[in-house]
Amino acid sequence: MTLRIWHGYTTKPNADIYENLLVNEIIPEIESKKIRGYKRFQLLRKELDTEVEFTTIMWFEQLTSVIDFVGADYESVYVPEKARKVLSRFDAKASHCELRGTFDYDF
């Protein structure tokens, strides 16, 4: 499993706008593409002192599925113009990691 990880940042006033845009428009647009090997999209939000950080984690069966999504330059980011308007900054490249396991413990 290949995880595609990316970070974007907004001002505090734009945080809810960006999150709603992701949840209601961008993620459904991605999922409507029916990318072979695409499995799931996770969204994390972190309040910082002066801005809000969003982390997205997309799960793909393999790296070739990521290439199907964004092309041969698979580290290139997918940030639609409507998202760029509310983001103050974002990673220029996405990071890709191989999932080595998930572990659940009862404490």
Side-chain angles (χ1 to χ4, degrees), residues 14-51:
N14 282 338
D16 287 341
I17 295 167
Y18 180 65
E19 184 173 348
N20 287 329
L21 183 63
L22 269 175
V23 170
N24 296 312
E25 293 184 42
I26 296 171
I27 295 170
E29 285 174 12
I30 291 169
E31 292 182 340
S32 74
K33 295 176 187 281
K34 304 288 186 210
I35 303 156
R36 181 183 49 85
Y38 166 76
K39 293 297 181 191
R40 88 172 41 137
F41 196 111
Q42 293 177 299
L43 175 61
L44 291 76
R45 178 174 169 159
K46 182 179 180 181
E47 300 286 329
L48 303 173
D49 288 338
T50 60
E51 60 188 353

PDB file of all heavy atoms in Angstrom, residues 14-51:
ATOM      1  N   ASN A  14     -10.020  31.167   7.077  1.00  0.00           N
ATOM      2  CA  ASN A  14     -10.255  30.349   5.881  1.00  0.00           C
ATOM      3  C   ASN A  14     -10.309  28.845   6.163  1.00  0.00           C
ATOM      4  O   ASN A  14     -10.593  28.058   5.261  1.00  0.00           O
ATOM      5  CB  ASN A  14      -9.182  30.608   4.828  1.00  0.00           C
ATOM      6  CG  ASN A  14      -9.418  31.886   4.072  1.00  0.00           C
ATOM      7  OD1 ASN A  14     -10.536  32.393   4.019  1.00  0.00           O
ATOM      8  ND2 ASN A  14      -8.371  32.428   3.482  1.00  0.00           N
ATOM      9  N   ALA A  15     -10.047  28.442   7.389  1.00  0.00           N
ATOM     10  CA  ALA A  15      -9.940  27.013   7.696  1.00  0.00           C
ATOM     11  C   ALA A  15     -11.231  26.249   7.426  1.00  0.00           C
ATOM     12  O   ALA A  15     -11.218  25.205   6.777  1.00  0.00           O
ATOM     13  CB  ALA A  15      -9.483  26.814   9.138  1.00  0.00           C
ATOM     14  N   ASP A  16     -12.351  26.740   7.924  1.00  0.00           N
ATOM     15  CA  ASP A  16     -13.626  26.048   7.688  1.00  0.00           C
ATOM     16  C   ASP A  16     -13.996  26.071   6.211  1.00  0.00           C
ATOM     17  O   ASP A  16     -14.536  25.088   5.683  1.00  0.00           O
ATOM     18  CB  ASP A  16     -14.747  26.666   8.522  1.00  0.00           C
ATOM     19  CG  ASP A  16     -14.636  26.331  10.002  1.00  0.00           C
ATOM     20  OD1 ASP A  16     -13.939  25.355  10.347  1.00  0.00           O
ATOM     21  OD2 ASP A  16     -15.261  27.051  10.809  1.00  0.00           O
ATOM     22  N   ILE A  17     -13.692  27.172   5.538  1.00  0.00           N
ATOM     23  CA  ILE A  17     -13.969  27.272   4.095  1.00  0.00           C
ATOM     24  C   ILE A  17     -13.190  26.195   3.348  1.00  0.00           C
ATOM     25  O   ILE A  17     -13.739  25.478   2.510  1.00  0.00           O
ATOM     26  CB  ILE A  17     -13.605  28.681   3.570  1.00  0.00           C
ATOM     27  CG1 ILE A  17     -14.508  29.733   4.206  1.00  0.00           C
ATOM     28  CG2 ILE A  17     -13.673  28.731   2.042  1.00  0.00           C
ATOM     29  CD1 ILE A  17     -14.033  31.163   3.993  1.00  0.00           C
ATOM     30  N   TYR A  18     -11.891  26.062   3.666  1.00  0.00           N
ATOM     31  CA  TYR A  18     -11.066  25.066   2.991  1.00  0.00           C
ATOM     32  C   TYR A  18     -11.532  23.647   3.314  1.00  0.00           C
ATOM     33  O   TYR A  18     -11.652  22.806   2.418  1.00  0.00           O
ATOM     34  CB  TYR A  18      -9.590  25.237   3.363  1.00  0.00           C
ATOM     35  CG  TYR A  18      -8.719  24.221   2.678  1.00  0.00           C
ATOM     36  CD1 TYR A  18      -8.579  24.229   1.296  1.00  0.00           C
ATOM     37  CD2 TYR A  18      -8.074  23.229   3.394  1.00  0.00           C
ATOM     38  CE1 TYR A  18      -7.811  23.272   0.653  1.00  0.00           C
ATOM     39  CE2 TYR A  18      -7.301  22.279   2.769  1.00  0.00           C
ATOM     40  CZ  TYR A  18      -7.177  22.305   1.396  1.00  0.00           C
ATOM     41  OH  TYR A  18      -6.421  21.368   0.762  1.00  0.00           O
ATOM     42  N   GLU A  19     -11.818  23.374   4.581  1.00  0.00           N
ATOM     43  CA  GLU A  19     -12.270  22.035   4.951  1.00  0.00           C
ATOM     44  C   GLU A  19     -13.567  21.671   4.232  1.00  0.00           C
ATOM     45  O   GLU A  19     -13.714  20.563   3.706  1.00  0.00           O
ATOM     46  CB  GLU A  19     -12.455  21.937   6.463  1.00  0.00           C
ATOM     47  CG  GLU A  19     -12.834  20.539   6.904  1.00  0.00           C
ATOM     48  CD  GLU A  19     -12.850  20.370   8.407  1.00  0.00           C
ATOM     49  OE1 GLU A  19     -12.352  21.253   9.150  1.00  0.00           O
ATOM     50  OE2 GLU A  19     -13.362  19.323   8.854  1.00  0.00           O
ATOM     51  N   ASN A  20     -14.513  22.591   4.180  1.00  0.00           N
ATOM     52  CA  ASN A  20     -15.767  22.335   3.464  1.00  0.00           C
ATOM     53  C   ASN A  20     -15.528  22.115   1.976  1.00  0.00           C
ATOM     54  O   ASN A  20     -16.167  21.255   1.362  1.00  0.00           O
ATOM     55  CB  ASN A  20     -16.755  23.485   3.686  1.00  0.00           C
ATOM     56  CG  ASN A  20     -17.334  23.487   5.080  1.00  0.00           C
ATOM     57  OD1 ASN A  20     -17.502  22.432   5.695  1.00  0.00           O
ATOM     58  ND2 ASN A  20     -17.626  24.664   5.607  1.00  0.00           N
ATOM     59  N   LEU A  21     -14.625  22.866   1.399  1.00  0.00           N
ATOM     60  CA  LEU A  21     -14.275  22.699  -0.014  1.00  0.00           C
ATOM     61  C   LEU A  21     -13.703  21.300  -0.256  1.00  0.00           C
ATOM     62  O   LEU A  21     -14.086  20.616  -1.212  1.00  0.00           O
ATOM     63  CB  LEU A  21     -13.276  23.786  -0.418  1.00  0.00           C
ATOM     64  CG  LEU A  21     -12.833  23.832  -1.859  1.00  0.00           C
ATOM     65  CD1 LEU A  21     -14.009  24.114  -2.780  1.00  0.00           C
ATOM     66  CD2 LEU A  21     -11.769  24.921  -2.020  1.00  0.00           C
ATOM     67  N   LEU A  22     -12.804  20.876   0.610  1.00  0.00           N
ATOM     68  CA  LEU A  22     -12.235  19.533   0.488  1.00  0.00           C
ATOM     69  C   LEU A  22     -13.315  18.459   0.589  1.00  0.00           C
ATOM     70  O   LEU A  22     -13.409  17.574  -0.265  1.00  0.00           O
ATOM     71  CB  LEU A  22     -11.206  19.293   1.590  1.00  0.00           C
ATOM     72  CG  LEU A  22      -9.765  19.636   1.315  1.00  0.00           C
ATOM     73  CD1 LEU A  22      -8.927  19.440   2.566  1.00  0.00           C
ATOM     74  CD2 LEU A  22      -9.203  18.822   0.178  1.00  0.00           C
ATOM     75  N   VAL A  23     -14.095  18.529   1.652  1.00  0.00           N
ATOM     76  CA  VAL A  23     -15.065  17.473   1.951  1.00  0.00           C
ATOM     77  C   VAL A  23     -16.205  17.433   0.935  1.00  0.00           C
ATOM     78  O   VAL A  23     -16.650  16.357   0.522  1.00  0.00           O
ATOM     79  CB  VAL A  23     -15.607  17.647   3.384  1.00  0.00           C
ATOM     80  CG1 VAL A  23     -16.786  16.727   3.652  1.00  0.00           C
ATOM     81  CG2 VAL A  23     -14.491  17.410   4.399  1.00  0.00           C
ATOM     82  N   ASN A  24     -16.667  18.592   0.509  1.00  0.00           N
ATOM     83  CA  ASN A  24     -17.861  18.643  -0.335  1.00  0.00           C
ATOM     84  C   ASN A  24     -17.590  18.723  -1.833  1.00  0.00           C
ATOM     85  O   ASN A  24     -18.490  18.441  -2.626  1.00  0.00           O
ATOM     86  CB  ASN A  24     -18.744  19.812   0.094  1.00  0.00           C
ATOM     87  CG  ASN A  24     -19.265  19.622   1.500  1.00  0.00           C
ATOM     88  OD1 ASN A  24     -19.762  18.570   1.849  1.00  0.00           O
ATOM     89  ND2 ASN A  24     -19.110  20.646   2.329  1.00  0.00           N
ATOM     90  N   GLU A  25     -16.374  19.117  -2.220  1.00  0.00           N
ATOM     91  CA  GLU A  25     -16.091  19.256  -3.651  1.00  0.00           C
ATOM     92  C   GLU A  25     -14.861  18.479  -4.116  1.00  0.00           C
ATOM     93  O   GLU A  25     -14.958  17.647  -5.017  1.00  0.00           O
ATOM     94  CB  GLU A  25     -15.925  20.736  -4.019  1.00  0.00           C
ATOM     95  CG  GLU A  25     -17.206  21.541  -3.894  1.00  0.00           C
ATOM     96  CD  GLU A  25     -17.028  22.973  -4.360  1.00  0.00           C
ATOM     97  OE1 GLU A  25     -16.372  23.190  -5.396  1.00  0.00           O
ATOM     98  OE2 GLU A  25     -17.550  23.883  -3.675  1.00  0.00           O
ATOM     99  N   ILE A  26     -13.710  18.742  -3.503  1.00  0.00           N
ATOM    100  CA  ILE A  26     -12.455  18.192  -4.023  1.00  0.00           C
ATOM    101  C   ILE A  26     -12.381  16.677  -3.835  1.00  0.00           C
ATOM    102  O   ILE A  26     -12.069  15.948  -4.783  1.00  0.00           O
ATOM    103  CB  ILE A  26     -11.250  18.913  -3.403  1.00  0.00           C
ATOM    104  CG1 ILE A  26     -11.267  20.390  -3.833  1.00  0.00           C
ATOM    105  CG2 ILE A  26      -9.945  18.242  -3.815  1.00  0.00           C
ATOM    106  CD1 ILE A  26     -10.255  21.270  -3.128  1.00  0.00           C
ATOM    107  N   ILE A  27     -12.661  16.189  -2.638  1.00  0.00           N
ATOM    108  CA  ILE A  27     -12.606  14.736  -2.417  1.00  0.00           C
ATOM    109  C   ILE A  27     -13.624  14.009  -3.294  1.00  0.00           C
ATOM    110  O   ILE A  27     -13.264  13.028  -3.962  1.00  0.00           O
ATOM    111  CB  ILE A  27     -12.757  14.387  -0.923  1.00  0.00           C
ATOM    112  CG1 ILE A  27     -11.561  14.937  -0.141  1.00  0.00           C
ATOM    113  CG2 ILE A  27     -12.892  12.876  -0.726  1.00  0.00           C
ATOM    114  CD1 ILE A  27     -11.707  14.864   1.369  1.00  0.00           C
ATOM    115  N   PRO A  28     -14.886  14.476  -3.369  1.00  0.00           N
ATOM    116  CA  PRO A  28     -15.818  13.810  -4.291  1.00  0.00           C
ATOM    117  C   PRO A  28     -15.356  13.853  -5.754  1.00  0.00           C
ATOM    118  O   PRO A  28     -15.561  12.883  -6.495  1.00  0.00           O
ATOM    119  CB  PRO A  28     -17.128  14.580  -4.101  1.00  0.00           C
ATOM    120  CG  PRO A  28     -17.050  15.112  -2.705  1.00  0.00           C
ATOM    121  CD  PRO A  28     -15.596  15.457  -2.513  1.00  0.00           C
ATOM    122  N   GLU A  29     -14.713  14.953  -6.174  1.00  0.00           N
ATOM    123  CA  GLU A  29     -14.181  15.022  -7.548  1.00  0.00           C
ATOM    124  C   GLU A  29     -13.113  13.960  -7.766  1.00  0.00           C
ATOM    125  O   GLU A  29     -13.093  13.286  -8.803  1.00  0.00           O
ATOM    126  CB  GLU A  29     -13.584  16.406  -7.826  1.00  0.00           C
ATOM    127  CG  GLU A  29     -14.608  17.490  -8.056  1.00  0.00           C
ATOM    128  CD  GLU A  29     -13.982  18.875  -8.174  1.00  0.00           C
ATOM    129  OE1 GLU A  29     -12.737  18.989  -8.313  1.00  0.00           O
ATOM    130  OE2 GLU A  29     -14.731  19.866  -8.122  1.00  0.00           O
ATOM    131  N   ILE A  30     -12.217  13.813  -6.795  1.00  0.00           N
ATOM    132  CA  ILE A  30     -11.167  12.795  -6.900  1.00  0.00           C
ATOM    133  C   ILE A  30     -11.799  11.408  -6.958  1.00  0.00           C
ATOM    134  O   ILE A  30     -11.447  10.592  -7.815  1.00  0.00           O
ATOM    135  CB  ILE A  30     -10.180  12.908  -5.724  1.00  0.00           C
ATOM    136  CG1 ILE A  30      -9.351  14.194  -5.841  1.00  0.00           C
ATOM    137  CG2 ILE A  30      -9.273  11.678  -5.652  1.00  0.00           C
ATOM    138  CD1 ILE A  30      -8.533  14.540  -4.611  1.00  0.00           C
ATOM    139  N   GLU A  31     -12.731  11.143  -6.068  1.00  0.00           N
ATOM    140  CA  GLU A  31     -13.349   9.812  -6.020  1.00  0.00           C
ATOM    141  C   GLU A  31     -14.175   9.515  -7.266  1.00  0.00           C
ATOM    142  O   GLU A  31     -14.297   8.361  -7.671  1.00  0.00           O
ATOM    143  CB  GLU A  31     -14.146   9.659  -4.738  1.00  0.00           C
ATOM    144  CG  GLU A  31     -13.214   9.629  -3.532  1.00  0.00           C
ATOM    145  CD  GLU A  31     -13.889   9.441  -2.196  1.00  0.00           C
ATOM    146  OE1 GLU A  31     -15.107   9.686  -2.089  1.00  0.00           O
ATOM    147  OE2 GLU A  31     -13.175   9.055  -1.252  1.00  0.00           O
ATOM    148  N   SER A  32     -14.710  10.545  -7.908  1.00  0.00           N
ATOM    149  CA  SER A  32     -15.498  10.330  -9.124  1.00  0.00           C
ATOM    150  C   SER A  32     -14.630   9.903 -10.308  1.00  0.00           C
ATOM    151  O   SER A  32     -15.137   9.375 -11.281  1.00  0.00           O
ATOM    152  CB  SER A  32     -16.291  11.584  -9.481  1.00  0.00           C
ATOM    153  OG  SER A  32     -15.446  12.577 -10.012  1.00  0.00           O
ATOM    154  N   LYS A  33     -13.332  10.106 -10.204  1.00  0.00           N
ATOM    155  CA  LYS A  33     -12.412   9.714 -11.287  1.00  0.00           C
ATOM    156  C   LYS A  33     -12.225   8.196 -11.358  1.00  0.00           C
ATOM    157  O   LYS A  33     -11.697   7.686 -12.328  1.00  0.00           O
ATOM    158  CB  LYS A  33     -11.053  10.397 -11.108  1.00  0.00           C
ATOM    159  CG  LYS A  33     -11.098  11.904 -11.229  1.00  0.00           C
ATOM    160  CD  LYS A  33      -9.719  12.496 -10.949  1.00  0.00           C
ATOM    161  CE  LYS A  33      -9.767  14.004 -10.902  1.00  0.00           C
ATOM    162  NZ  LYS A  33      -9.804  14.622 -12.224  1.00  0.00           N
ATOM    163  N   LYS A  34     -12.645   7.493 -10.300  1.00  0.00           N
ATOM    164  CA  LYS A  34     -12.543   6.026 -10.259  1.00  0.00           C
ATOM    165  C   LYS A  34     -11.119   5.562 -10.585  1.00  0.00           C
ATOM    166  O   LYS A  34     -10.894   4.717 -11.452  1.00  0.00           O
ATOM    167  CB  LYS A  34     -13.543   5.367 -11.219  1.00  0.00           C
ATOM    168  CG  LYS A  34     -14.976   5.770 -10.990  1.00  0.00           C
ATOM    169  CD  LYS A  34     -15.519   5.159  -9.745  1.00  0.00           C
ATOM    170  CE  LYS A  34     -17.009   5.446  -9.607  1.00  0.00           C
ATOM    171  NZ  LYS A  34     -17.454   5.537  -8.268  1.00  0.00           N
ATOM    172  N   ILE A  35     -10.148   6.128  -9.884  1.00  0.00           N
ATOM    173  CA  ILE A  35      -8.735   5.816 -10.101  1.00  0.00           C
ATOM    174  C   ILE A  35      -8.482   4.370  -9.683  1.00  0.00           C
ATOM    175  O   ILE A  35      -8.787   3.979  -8.556  1.00  0.00           O
ATOM    176  CB  ILE A  35      -7.842   6.775  -9.285  1.00  0.00           C
ATOM    177  CG1 ILE A  35      -8.152   8.224  -9.654  1.00  0.00           C
ATOM    178  CG2 ILE A  35      -6.368   6.456  -9.487  1.00  0.00           C
ATOM    179  CD1 ILE A  35      -7.797   9.223  -8.588  1.00  0.00           C
ATOM    180  N   ARG A  36      -7.913   3.615 -10.592  1.00  0.00           N
ATOM    181  CA  ARG A  36      -7.595   2.216 -10.311  1.00  0.00           C
ATOM    182  C   ARG A  36      -6.622   2.155  -9.133  1.00  0.00           C
ATOM    183  O   ARG A  36      -5.583   2.799  -9.123  1.00  0.00           O
ATOM    184  CB  ARG A  36      -6.963   1.574 -11.548  1.00  0.00           C
ATOM    185  CG  ARG A  36      -6.602   0.119 -11.402  1.00  0.00           C
ATOM    186  CD  ARG A  36      -5.903  -0.418 -12.643  1.00  0.00           C
ATOM    187  NE  ARG A  36      -4.808   0.412 -13.106  1.00  0.00           N
ATOM    188  CZ  ARG A  36      -3.558   0.331 -12.635  1.00  0.00           C
ATOM    189  NH1 ARG A  36      -3.255  -0.531 -11.701  1.00  0.00           N
ATOM    190  NH2 ARG A  36      -2.610   1.113 -13.121  1.00  0.00           N
ATOM    191  N   GLY A  37      -6.980   1.417  -8.097  1.00  0.00           N
ATOM    192  CA  GLY A  37      -6.106   1.233  -6.949  1.00  0.00           C
ATOM    193  C   GLY A  37      -6.253   2.275  -5.852  1.00  0.00           C
ATOM    194  O   GLY A  37      -5.617   2.160  -4.810  1.00  0.00           O
ATOM    195  N   TYR A  38      -7.096   3.284  -6.064  1.00  0.00           N
ATOM    196  CA  TYR A  38      -7.350   4.279  -5.015  1.00  0.00           C
ATOM    197  C   TYR A  38      -8.227   3.641  -3.947  1.00  0.00           C
ATOM    198  O   TYR A  38      -9.223   2.998  -4.263  1.00  0.00           O
ATOM    199  CB  TYR A  38      -8.034   5.510  -5.612  1.00  0.00           C
ATOM    200  CG  TYR A  38      -8.631   6.440  -4.577  1.00  0.00           C
ATOM    201  CD1 TYR A  38      -7.824   7.281  -3.837  1.00  0.00           C
ATOM    202  CD2 TYR A  38      -9.999   6.459  -4.352  1.00  0.00           C
ATOM    203  CE1 TYR A  38      -8.385   8.127  -2.881  1.00  0.00           C
ATOM    204  CE2 TYR A  38     -10.561   7.307  -3.408  1.00  0.00           C
ATOM    205  CZ  TYR A  38      -9.742   8.127  -2.673  1.00  0.00           C
ATOM    206  OH  TYR A  38     -10.288   8.960  -1.729  1.00  0.00           O
ATOM    207  N   LYS A  39      -7.867   3.823  -2.669  1.00  0.00           N
ATOM    208  CA  LYS A  39      -8.593   3.147  -1.592  1.00  0.00           C
ATOM    209  C   LYS A  39      -9.313   4.084  -0.637  1.00  0.00           C
ATOM    210  O   LYS A  39     -10.445   3.834  -0.262  1.00  0.00           O
ATOM    211  CB  LYS A  39      -7.635   2.263  -0.780  1.00  0.00           C
ATOM    212  CG  LYS A  39      -7.115   1.098  -1.573  1.00  0.00           C
ATOM    213  CD  LYS A  39      -8.268   0.203  -1.957  1.00  0.00           C
ATOM    214  CE  LYS A  39      -7.834  -0.994  -2.737  1.00  0.00           C
ATOM    215  NZ  LYS A  39      -8.939  -1.717  -3.321  1.00  0.00           N
ATOM    216  N   ARG A  40      -8.648   5.145  -0.195  1.00  0.00           N
ATOM    217  CA  ARG A  40      -9.298   6.007   0.792  1.00  0.00           C
ATOM    218  C   ARG A  40      -8.587   7.344   0.883  1.00  0.00           C
ATOM    219  O   ARG A  40      -7.466   7.488   0.419  1.00  0.00           O
ATOM    220  CB  ARG A  40      -9.377   5.328   2.151  1.00  0.00           C
ATOM    221  CG  ARG A  40      -8.194   5.518   3.036  1.00  0.00           C
ATOM    222  CD  ARG A  40      -8.383   4.995   4.454  1.00  0.00           C
ATOM    223  NE  ARG A  40      -9.065   3.742   4.524  1.00  0.00           N
ATOM    224  CZ  ARG A  40      -8.726   2.726   5.300  1.00  0.00           C
ATOM    225  NH1 ARG A  40      -7.697   2.822   6.093  1.00  0.00           N
ATOM    226  NH2 ARG A  40      -9.415   1.621   5.306  1.00  0.00           N
ATOM    227  N   PHE A  41      -9.274   8.286   1.495  1.00  0.00           N
ATOM    228  CA  PHE A  41      -8.765   9.640   1.702  1.00  0.00           C
ATOM    229  C   PHE A  41      -8.949   9.964   3.178  1.00  0.00           C
ATOM    230  O   PHE A  41     -10.045   9.830   3.715  1.00  0.00           O
ATOM    231  CB  PHE A  41      -9.581  10.627   0.849  1.00  0.00           C
ATOM    232  CG  PHE A  41      -8.951  11.977   0.677  1.00  0.00           C
ATOM    233  CD1 PHE A  41      -8.468  12.358  -0.568  1.00  0.00           C
ATOM    234  CD2 PHE A  41      -8.860  12.872   1.727  1.00  0.00           C
ATOM    235  CE1 PHE A  41      -7.901  13.612  -0.755  1.00  0.00           C
ATOM    236  CE2 PHE A  41      -8.295  14.121   1.560  1.00  0.00           C
ATOM    237  CZ  PHE A  41      -7.807  14.497   0.308  1.00  0.00           C
ATOM    238  N   GLN A  42      -7.880  10.371   3.833  1.00  0.00           N
ATOM    239  CA  GLN A  42      -7.966  10.782   5.229  1.00  0.00           C
ATOM    240  C   GLN A  42      -7.608  12.263   5.323  1.00  0.00           C
ATOM    241  O   GLN A  42      -6.711  12.743   4.617  1.00  0.00           O
ATOM    242  CB  GLN A  42      -7.015   9.979   6.106  1.00  0.00           C
ATOM    243  CG  GLN A  42      -7.414   8.523   6.210  1.00  0.00           C
ATOM    244  CD  GLN A  42      -6.420   7.727   7.016  1.00  0.00           C
ATOM    245  OE1 GLN A  42      -5.262   7.643   6.651  1.00  0.00           O
ATOM    246  NE2 GLN A  42      -6.883   7.144   8.114  1.00  0.00           N
ATOM    247  N   LEU A  43      -8.300  12.967   6.207  1.00  0.00           N
ATOM    248  CA  LEU A  43      -8.094  14.401   6.385  1.00  0.00           C
ATOM    249  C   LEU A  43      -7.820  14.678   7.856  1.00  0.00           C
ATOM    250  O   LEU A  43      -8.602  14.281   8.719  1.00  0.00           O
ATOM    251  CB  LEU A  43      -9.329  15.171   5.916  1.00  0.00           C
ATOM    252  CG  LEU A  43      -9.332  16.672   6.150  1.00  0.00           C
ATOM    253  CD1 LEU A  43      -8.182  17.342   5.407  1.00  0.00           C
ATOM    254  CD2 LEU A  43     -10.664  17.262   5.706  1.00  0.00           C
ATOM    255  N   LEU A  44      -6.709  15.354   8.117  1.00  0.00           N
ATOM    256  CA  LEU A  44      -6.347  15.737   9.480  1.00  0.00           C
ATOM    257  C   LEU A  44      -6.287  17.262   9.543  1.00  0.00           C
ATOM    258  O   LEU A  44      -5.890  17.918   8.570  1.00  0.00           O
ATOM    259  CB  LEU A  44      -4.984  15.168   9.871  1.00  0.00           C
ATOM    260  CG  LEU A  44      -4.888  13.655  10.060  1.00  0.00           C
ATOM    261  CD1 LEU A  44      -4.858  12.939   8.728  1.00  0.00           C
ATOM    262  CD2 LEU A  44      -3.648  13.312  10.842  1.00  0.00           C
ATOM    263  N   ARG A  45      -6.661  17.803  10.685  1.00  0.00           N
ATOM    264  CA  ARG A  45      -6.656  19.256  10.887  1.00  0.00           C
ATOM    265  C   ARG A  45      -5.959  19.555  12.212  1.00  0.00           C
ATOM    266  O   ARG A  45      -6.236  18.913  13.223  1.00  0.00           O
ATOM    267  CB  ARG A  45      -8.087  19.780  10.903  1.00  0.00           C
ATOM    268  CG  ARG A  45      -8.206  21.276  11.164  1.00  0.00           C
ATOM    269  CD  ARG A  45      -9.645  21.719  11.018  1.00  0.00           C
ATOM    270  NE  ARG A  45      -9.831  23.080  11.516  1.00  0.00           N
ATOM    271  CZ  ARG A  45     -10.835  23.866  11.168  1.00  0.00           C
ATOM    272  NH1 ARG A  45     -11.763  23.432  10.326  1.00  0.00           N
ATOM    273  NH2 ARG A  45     -10.938  25.077  11.661  1.00  0.00           N
ATOM    274  N   LYS A  46      -5.069  20.551  12.182  1.00  0.00           N
ATOM    275  CA  LYS A  46      -4.320  20.924  13.382  1.00  0.00           C
ATOM    276  C   LYS A  46      -4.307  22.437  13.528  1.00  0.00           C
ATOM    277  O   LYS A  46      -3.832  23.148  12.635  1.00  0.00           O
ATOM    278  CB  LYS A  46      -2.883  20.391  13.291  1.00  0.00           C
ATOM    279  CG  LYS A  46      -2.034  20.689  14.505  1.00  0.00           C
ATOM    280  CD  LYS A  46      -0.652  20.099  14.317  1.00  0.00           C
ATOM    281  CE  LYS A  46       0.226  20.383  15.511  1.00  0.00           C
ATOM    282  NZ  LYS A  46       1.580  19.817  15.314  1.00  0.00           N
ATOM    283  N   GLU A  47      -4.823  22.907  14.649  1.00  0.00           N
ATOM    284  CA  GLU A  47      -4.822  24.338  14.937  1.00  0.00           C
ATOM    285  C   GLU A  47      -3.427  24.735  15.419  1.00  0.00           C
ATOM    286  O   GLU A  47      -2.913  24.168  16.384  1.00  0.00           O
ATOM    287  CB  GLU A  47      -5.853  24.666  16.025  1.00  0.00           C
ATOM    288  CG  GLU A  47      -7.279  24.301  15.671  1.00  0.00           C
ATOM    289  CD  GLU A  47      -7.918  25.228  14.662  1.00  0.00           C
ATOM    290  OE1 GLU A  47      -7.568  26.422  14.637  1.00  0.00           O
ATOM    291  OE2 GLU A  47      -8.785  24.756  13.906  1.00  0.00           O
ATOM    292  N   LEU A  48      -2.817  25.699  14.761  1.00  0.00           N
ATOM    293  CA  LEU A  48      -1.520  26.231  15.163  1.00  0.00           C
ATOM    294  C   LEU A  48      -1.728  27.638  15.727  1.00  0.00           C
ATOM    295  O   LEU A  48      -2.851  28.127  15.771  1.00  0.00           O
ATOM    296  CB  LEU A  48      -0.571  26.254  13.960  1.00  0.00           C
ATOM    297  CG  LEU A  48      -0.358  24.889  13.281  1.00  0.00           C
ATOM    298  CD1 LEU A  48       0.448  25.059  12.005  1.00  0.00           C
ATOM    299  CD2 LEU A  48       0.337  23.925  14.229  1.00  0.00           C
ATOM    300  N   ASP A  49      -0.665  28.290  16.132  1.00  0.00           N
ATOM    301  CA  ASP A  49      -0.793  29.624  16.725  1.00  0.00           C
ATOM    302  C   ASP A  49      -1.483  30.618  15.804  1.00  0.00           C
ATOM    303  O   ASP A  49      -2.433  31.288  16.197  1.00  0.00           O
ATOM    304  CB  ASP A  49       0.582  30.178  17.115  1.00  0.00           C
ATOM    305  CG  ASP A  49       1.161  29.459  18.326  1.00  0.00           C
ATOM    306  OD1 ASP A  49       0.386  28.860  19.098  1.00  0.00           O
ATOM    307  OD2 ASP A  49       2.391  29.497  18.494  1.00  0.00           O
ATOM    308  N   THR A  50      -1.000  30.722  14.568  1.00  0.00           N
ATOM    309  CA  THR A  50      -1.519  31.764  13.680  1.00  0.00           C
ATOM    310  C   THR A  50      -2.173  31.226  12.418  1.00  0.00           C
ATOM    311  O   THR A  50      -2.623  32.005  11.580  1.00  0.00           O
ATOM    312  CB  THR A  50      -0.389  32.732  13.268  1.00  0.00           C
ATOM    313  OG1 THR A  50       0.631  31.979  12.590  1.00  0.00           O
ATOM    314  CG2 THR A  50       0.209  33.415  14.480  1.00  0.00           C
ATOM    315  N   GLU A  51      -2.180  29.905  12.254  1.00  0.00           N
ATOM    316  CA  GLU A  51      -2.769  29.318  11.054  1.00  0.00           C
ATOM    317  C   GLU A  51      -3.295  27.922  11.373  1.00  0.00           C
ATOM    318  O   GLU A  51      -3.168  27.444  12.490  1.00  0.00           O
ATOM    319  CB  GLU A  51      -1.752  29.277   9.908  1.00  0.00           C
ATOM    320  CG  GLU A  51      -0.508  28.483  10.203  1.00  0.00           C
ATOM    321  CD  GLU A  51       0.564  28.601   9.136  1.00  0.00           C
ATOM    322  OE1 GLU A  51       0.325  29.199   8.076  1.00  0.00           O
ATOM    323  OE2 GLU A  51       1.664  28.093   9.373  1.00  0.00           O
TER     324      GLU A  51
END
